[in-house]
Amino acid sequence: MKIAVVGATGNIGARITEEALHRGHAVTALSRHASSLAPRPGLERIDVDNSEPGALAKAMAGHDAVI
């Protein structure tokens, strides 16, 4: 499953990202500072500001689930 996690660098977002990767999902981390996350297999990092709805919608497109 391809999962987008909005706020992936925050406390809960980081935990969800970790669990999803551990379960073998492809995860896209969406955050203003997603590039600060360490590169890992199965993890795509996209810097996006959630106050920009158009950019956020574009980043979420094509995912099976958004958290």
Side-chain angles (χ1 to χ4, degrees):
M1 181 177 284
K2 188 172 181 184
I3 301 171
V5 179
V6 179
T9 58
N11 183 23
I12 297 200
R15 292 171 190 247
I16 292 169
T17 297
E18 183 64 33
E19 184 65 26
L21 288 169
H22 178 73
R23 292 179 183 221
H25 298 291
V27 177
T28 302
L30 304 175
S31 177
R32 284 178 291 174
H33 305 290
S35 59
S36 67
L37 295 171
R40 297 176 56 182
L43 178 65
E44 179 181 2
R45 304 167 297 158
I46 299 178
D47 292 334
V48 63
D49 189 338
N50 67 2
S51 68
E52 298 178 22
L56 188 58
K58 183 177 177 183
M60 291 187 299
H63 290 84
D64 300 310
V66 177
I67 301 170

